Amino acid sequence: MNQVYWLILVVLIHAKILCHAQGITVTKYNTVRIIRTKTVSTTTHFTTSRTIVYRTASGTFTEQVSTKPTATDPDFKTEILDVHNSLRKKHQVSSLVWAPELASRAQNFANSYVCNGQLEHSKLPYGENLALGYNTTSAVLAWYNEVKLYDFNNPQFAANTGHFTQLVWKNTSKLGCAFIRCGQYYGQYTVCEYDPPGNVIGKFSENVLPEK
């Protein structure tokens, strides 16, 4: 069943596909929006539900990777961890600690990306947020910006707030992220892994807290 959403004055086309995870019927949502000729994407993955958001130009295009780190860039680590924790602090939850193992796994997964504008999740056993077309801070802020759509009076999973809820999930304690840079068309591809994973069905009221 198709539904129409208005988000930032842009019409989003919403398609729903049923799938199964951990014996629970859950929903996979794909959202597509046209932004001139540039493709930027964000996506999130979690234990019992999955949200994928594509903002894409029509057609497909593959470009060469321009930067593919083999180890965590220290400036990237500091920036993305600090942005996460500054946003989590607003929601009365503890800071994440950097987990080198998660970062290494995130980097291995990021390095497999072919810069074609299509996003697919890893099969890692963590919560996972992906972004394409954003720089480091902007990727995290784009995930967090879904707070505007989250209903704290009715705490539950929603397709258009899954990035935000994973980011501020109280029970998550570890973070590991990585990136590669595509060319000028797609820009930076960012992967963040969260442990323990968030967005667990039935646990939203105790893990997604309002701002102080």
Side-chain angles (χ1 to χ4, degrees):
M1 178 173 57
N2 292 328
Q3 302 174 20
V4 177
Y5 290 86
W6 287 92
L7 174 59
I8 318 177
L9 301 181
V10 179
V11 177
L12 302 182
I13 303 172
H14 173 270
K16 182 169 67 176
I17 305 170
L18 291 181
C19 58
H20 288 80
Q22 298 181 353
I24 301 172
T25 299
V26 296
T27 306
K28 175 179 176 182
Y29 295 85
N30 295 317
T31 309
V32 179
R33 96 169 145 186
I34 306 303
I35 301 183
R36 298 181 181 176
T37 60
K38 184 175 178 61
T39 299
V40 290
S41 308
T42 61
T43 182
T44 184
H45 169 68
F46 31 89
T47 55
T48 57
S49 304
R50 175 176 293 182
T51 302
I52 300 177
V53 180
Y54 294 113
R55 306 172 193 167
T56 181
S58 58
T60 59
F61 172 69
T62 300
E63 63 182 356
Q64 295 295 315
V65 176
S66 65
T67 303
K68 184 180 288 189
T70 57
T72 300
D73 179 279
D75 293 334
F76 170 80
K77 169 189 170 181
T78 298
E79 181 179 353
I80 203 161
L81 183 61
D82 285 352
V83 176
H84 270 83
N85 286 335
S86 67
L87 296 172
R88 286 174 63 86
K89 185 177 181 180
K90 295 171 63 175
H91 292 269
Q92 312 171 58
V93 295
S94 60
S95 295
L96 301 174
V97 297
W98 189 259
E101 180 182 359
L102 296 186
S104 177
R105 291 189 174 194
Q107 191 67 66
N108 288 339
F109 179 63
N111 286 349
S112 70
Y113 188 59
V114 295
C115 293
N116 63 358
Q118 304 300 311
L119 296 183
E120 292 187 13
H121 281 292
S122 71
K123 297 181 180 180
L124 296 172
Y126 313 116
E128 182 174 89
N129 279 358
L130 308 178
L132 177 64
Y134 298 88
N135 65 28
T136 302
T137 294
S138 295
V140 182
L141 293 178
W143 297 330
Y144 180 79
N145 195 51
E146 295 172 353
V147 64
K148 299 174 182 178
L149 305 175
Y150 188 74
D151 185 358
F152 289 94
N153 295 316
N154 184 26
Q156 59 182 326
F157 169 73
N160 57 357
T161 58
H163 310 91
F164 158 70
T165 50
Q166 171 60 88
L167 197 160
V168 301
W169 195 261
K170 182 178 180 180
N171 193 50
T172 297
S173 59
K174 299 177 182 179
L175 175 70
C177 302
F179 76 95
I180 64 169
R181 290 196 178 92
C182 300
Q184 293 183 349
Y185 187 81
Y186 292 120
Q188 182 169 308
Y189 172 64
T190 305
V191 180
C192 281
E193 305 293 342
Y194 304 84
D195 189 40
N199 288 339
V200 179
I201 303 304
K203 300 294 184 180
F204 280 77
S205 61
E206 62 201 72
N207 282 283
V208 182
L209 308 179
E211 293 186 58
K212 293 182 178 179

